[in-house]
Amino acid sequence: MSLSSPEPTTSAILPPKRPRRRKLAAAIFTAGVLAGGAGGGLAVRDAGLLARQAVAAGTAVTPKVEPPNEARAISRAFATVAKALSPSVVRIEVEVGSPHVAENRARRSSPNNNNNNGDDDEGDGIPPFFRRFFDFGGGEGFPGPNPGPSHGVGSGFVLDTGGDIITNRHVIQGATKVTVTLNDGKEYSAKVIGKDAQTDVAVVRMEKPPSNLTAARIGDSDKLEVGEWVVAVGSPLGLEQTVTAGIVSGKGRPGRHVQMSGKRVRGYIQTDAKINPGNSGGPLVNLDGEVVGVNTLIQVGAGGSYGFAIPINEVRRVAQVLLKEGRMRYPYLGVMLSDVKDLDDAQKAKLGVAAKSLPQSGAFVAELTPGAPAGQAGIRPGDVITSINSQKVAGAADVVDYVSSQSIGTKVTLQYQRDGKGGSTQVTLGELPDEDARQPQASGKVGLGLQTLTPDVADSLGLGRGAKGAVVTEVTPDSPADRAGLRPGDVIVEIDRKAINSSEQAAEALRGSAPNGHLLRVRGNGGTRFVTVK
């Protein structure tokens, strides 16, 4: 026997062998190789995990939670509402032609654009009012390439089995193509039936609706209470149909702190149910499965984002008129108002000594629309309207509410204060010019964008305020209009020897049959000329 210490063997270091565990590991290894094939390495690692779990059969896991019955009931209510509304909520995809016009308009009307004083100081000779209709490209006066049509996505819901769908106007504004997708993924072409800029409501109609179309159940938004659970359904962020839940956080009227997307929206529903881009036009639904509002906008503040919906009672009223007439008609005074109590020091300083005599409440007349009823009746900027038909006016909303409830042609008496002295005048309410009628309108294959010539536009172009016609706002390259020499800023005053008074009239005339082309009399920078569009 040697007296030297032997080299330590493996058996001397490792703990005693455990034959049973080795056999189990071998069996698992074999099974892993057979099941894993070429990926046996991963299977072996998974098998090892299973083996350890099998050995540690007593491992603790999180306990199963038994939620209160009330929580289960709310959860089931959300699921039931989502399932009930799913067939009635649609995804709306739009294609908008010539996006550079809209993008340029948005860029130049942005709050960050400092050139908002109406002066033509860009050196291109284009009147300020008309500048928004042009795309000046990336810089140095060179126009950029036409990027082609742009696309947008919104939501909507089925109003009736005839294929009529309610959505927001801003979802379909400028659309040259509308596609509606149901929850089963089937797509249908649709067309715009009517839209209203003042309430941001629009109706589109599926051209060939399916026979099994399901209309959404319409509720009563007047009965909606603050604190009620509501569900917002739509296609946000380009996703398929999604559902978010929250409560009605508030109800009220638009004012200084809440500005809705339509100037004549007279109420709003605020909710903390998440409303994301793409939810616009989708329904806000109560737990009875009834549509109580139309999701419209998101306002972001220091405390987070807030979702707002238009009450369904107002939407339904507008939609019914749009289905019947295609547009809304509103009475108006022709004034831009603000609340007296909201005037800041800078605004009061512009009034000079008149600011000292301002009443504590009322509607302050900031601007007048030229030629509008209020101006014709003697109302001036700086006046404060204190009552209308003997009803006290606390602020601008009171005037808008009262006028909106009247008919076009109604005579109303305004009590006002000017330089500390009271006065009154009678105003005959006129018809509010349709904002959509003033938007550029495409004239089909001719390749024109048109706008009705208004007094303000006529002034910008150096024409008399009484001039009539349709203004060319855009010309498609290599189109019949382009080849005829038409340019943005031209005013079409006659087509085929017939006087033109609006963009709609011009578009209709250009759609008519003319084997030898349409003869247009046009006023432009070089005077009056005739062109033939074939």
Side-chain angles (χ1 to χ4, degrees), residues 185-481:
K186 295 181 179 179
E187 297 182 352
Y188 300 86
S189 295
K191 60 181 180 180
V192 178
I193 296 298
K195 54 186 177 178
D196 179 39
Q198 300 302 316
T199 56
D200 198 17
V201 174
V203 177
V204 301
R205 178 173 295 164
M206 302 167 69
E207 295 182 350
K208 295 181 180 179
S211 58
N212 61 344
L213 202 58
T214 303
R217 183 179 296 276
I218 305 299
D220 185 350
S221 53
D222 289 343
K223 296 180 179 179
L224 193 65
E225 299 287 344
V226 174
E228 281 191 47
W229 284 104
V230 286
V231 173
V233 190
S235 300
L237 304 173
L239 303 173
E240 296 303 324
Q241 197 174 104
T242 64
V243 177
T244 57
I247 64 169
V248 176
S249 306
K251 294 174 63 179
R253 296 194 308 175
R256 179 183 180 185
H257 301 291
V258 178
Q259 297 291 330
M260 298 296 286
S261 52
K263 298 177 182 177
R264 292 284 179 116
V265 175
R266 303 322 307 147
Y268 67 81
I269 301 170
Q270 180 188 345
T271 178
D272 64 354
K274 192 69 172 177
I275 296 177
N276 292 307
N279 267 127
S280 287
L284 187 70
V285 187
N286 62 18
L287 293 190
D288 292 325
E290 299 172 333
V291 179
V292 293
V294 175
N295 303 321
T296 299
L297 58 83
I298 312 157
Q299 290 191 359
V300 180
S305 61
Y306 308 89
F308 290 87
I310 306 172
I312 194 60
N313 289 3
E314 186 166 358
V315 173
R316 177 166 45 191
R317 175 182 60 82
V318 173
Q320 288 172 345
V321 177
L322 293 179
L323 285 169
K324 184 178 179 180
E325 302 180 15
R327 60 182 289 258
M328 292 290 293
R329 300 175 68 229
Y330 292 97
Y332 90 127
L333 286 170
V335 292
M336 183 177 291
L337 302 172
S338 60
D339 293 350
V340 170
K341 60 184 179 63
D342 291 336
L343 295 177
D344 56 31
D345 292 339
Q347 291 171 311
K348 291 180 179 178
K350 292 181 180 180
L351 295 173
V353 294
K356 298 179 180 179
S357 61
L358 287 174
Q360 295 298 311
S361 62
F364 179 78
V365 179
E367 294 182 24
L368 290 173
T369 301
Q376 292 178 346
I379 295 295
R380 301 177 188 173
D383 289 349
V384 177
I385 300 174
T386 55
S387 72
I388 181 168
N389 278 358
S390 301
Q391 295 193 18
K392 186 176 180 180
V393 170
D398 292 338
V399 177
V400 176
D401 285 346
Y402 189 88
V403 171
S404 297
S405 68
Q406 304 300 305
S407 300
I408 297 168
T410 299
K411 294 182 178 180
V412 297
T413 300
L414 300 181
Q415 299 285 339
Y416 61 89
Q417 185 169 316
R418 179 186 302 162
D419 297 330
K421 299 178 181 179
S424 67
T425 186
Q426 190 176 73
V427 183
T428 301
L429 300 179
E431 180 178 351
L432 179 69
D434 186 359
E435 185 172 323
D436 286 321
R438 300 195 299 269
Q439 296 298 324
Q441 298 192 8
S443 57
K445 296 181 180 180
V446 174
L448 283 178
L450 299 173
Q451 175 186 338
T452 298
L453 182 65
T454 64
D456 288 337
V457 176
D459 272 349
S460 294
L461 295 175
L463 306 176
R465 292 186 63 83
K468 302 291 184 182
V471 186
V472 177
T473 59
E474 182 183 8
V475 179
T476 303
D478 200 32
S479 65

Side-chain angles (χ1 to χ4, degrees), residues 25 28-51:
I28 292 174
F29 173 81
T30 303
V33 171
L34 291 175
L42 178 60
V44 170
R45 289 193 294 272
D46 291 343
L49 176 62
L50 292 173

Side-chain angles (χ1 to χ4, degrees), residues 169-187:
R169 169 186 175 270
H170 72 259
V171 171
I172 53 85
Q173 179 64 5
T176 55
K177 181 180 179 182
V178 181
T179 303
V180 170
T181 305
L182 299 180
N183 69 322
D184 59 5
K186 295 181 179 179
E187 297 182 352

Side-chain angles (χ1 to χ4, degrees), residues 146-164:
N146 189 339
S150 61
H151 298 81
V153 178
S155 305
F157 58 92
V158 179
L159 180 63
D160 54 49
T161 55
D164 294 321

